[in-house]
Amino acid sequence: LGGAHGAKENTRVDSDEQRVVRSFDFSSFYPNLAIRNRIYPKHLSEKFCDIYEDVFEQRKSYPKGFPENAIMKLALNAVFGDSNNPYSPFFDPKFTMTITVSGQLTLSMLAERLLEVPTLELLMVNTDGLEFVVDREYNEQAENVCSDFEELTKIPLEGGTYERLCINNVNNYIGM
C-alpha cells in the first residue's frame, strides 16, 4: 500500500578512487506523479493537477532550507496524505492507490534500467529514490540513465554522492 522499500542490511560502502556511492531521489515524487500523469481525486476536476503544479512551481522558487520551501513541501505532501483520510476534502482511496502503485512501478523501472550499467550494485530503494555504488568509469552512464528517465517521466531527480553509506536496514542508515 505504501512505497517500495528494500536495502542491503548491515552494509557499509565507501566512495574511493575506484567506486562511487550515489543517491537519486525524485523531487516531490507523489505530487509529481499526480501532476505529470494528470491523476486527481474523482470528485475534483483535472484543474486539481494545474493547481497542484502551481504549488510545486512555487516551492521551486524558494531555496531548500528556507521556511517558504518547507511550507510548500508540506502543502504538497499533506494533500497526498489527506487523500486517504475519510474526513479530508481530498479523500479518494483510488487516487491514493493509483499514486502509490504507479510510484512503485516507476521506481522499479528506474532500478531495472540502472542495473544494466556495468558494475552497478543497488544498495537501497525507499519510496521515492535509491542508492547505489558503481565503478567511477560507469558513473556517467548511470547519470545518463537517470537523465533519460527524467525526460521519460517528466519528474526531476535530485542526485548526490556519499563519501560513506552505513546501512542497518531501509529505515536506519547514515549517509555522509
Side-chain angles (χ1 to χ4, degrees):
L1 299 177
H5 297 84
K8 287 190 81 167
E9 295 188 348
N10 302 315
T11 301
R12 172 184 155 176
V13 183
D14 296 296
S15 291
D16 57 29
E17 292 174 8
Q18 181 185 350
R19 305 198 85 198
V20 61
V21 181
R22 300 298 313 270
S23 176
F24 283 91
D25 289 325
F26 287 101
S27 178
S28 295
F29 193 35
Y30 285 176
N32 265 314
L33 283 167
I35 293 163
R36 303 296 164 225
N37 295 296
R38 311 302 287 173
I39 302 166
Y40 52 91
K42 67 182 175 195
H43 60 283
L44 301 175
S45 72
E46 195 170 342
K47 184 77 174 157
F48 168 88
C49 299
D50 300 329
I51 295 167
Y52 216 20
E53 183 172 19
D54 184 58
V55 174
F56 176 68
E57 292 300 323
Q58 286 181 52
R59 178 183 178 211
K60 288 186 339 186
S61 71
Y62 300 105
K64 284 192 174 191
F66 278 60
E68 296 88 350
N69 183 290
I71 290 166
M72 293 298 164
K73 179 179 182 177
L74 180 60
L76 288 163
N77 291 334
V79 167
F80 171 76
D82 269 358
S83 71
N84 206 29
N85 174 357
Y87 303 104
S88 166
F90 302 108
F91 181 63
D92 181 353
K94 182 180 178 192
F95 171 81
T96 307
M97 291 300 107
T98 300
I99 296 298
T100 56
V101 171
S102 64
Q104 291 172 27
L105 293 171
T106 300
L107 189 55
S108 295
M109 284 175 54
L110 175 58
E112 182 180 48
R113 290 175 186 205
L114 281 167
L115 285 171
E116 294 177 8
V117 175
T119 76
L120 190 140
E121 179 184 351
L122 278 178
L123 300 171
M124 195 160 48
V125 176
N126 192 358
T127 307
D128 66 348
L130 45 75
E131 283 72 31
F132 59 85
V133 61
V134 66
D135 284 0
R136 288 188 183 273
E137 68 181 290
Y138 297 108
N139 183 47
E140 185 176 345
Q141 185 177 345
E143 288 178 350
N144 289 339
V145 167
C146 291
S147 179
D148 291 346
F149 206 73
E150 281 181 306
E151 283 190 39
L152 174 70
T153 63
K154 306 296 185 229
I155 302 174
L157 279 164
E158 299 169 346
T161 301
Y162 288 116
E163 194 174 304
R164 174 177 294 152
L165 183 61
C166 301
I167 306 168
N168 182 37
N169 58 52
V170 72
N171 294 313
N172 298 286
Y173 62 92
I174 297 171
M176 299 171 262

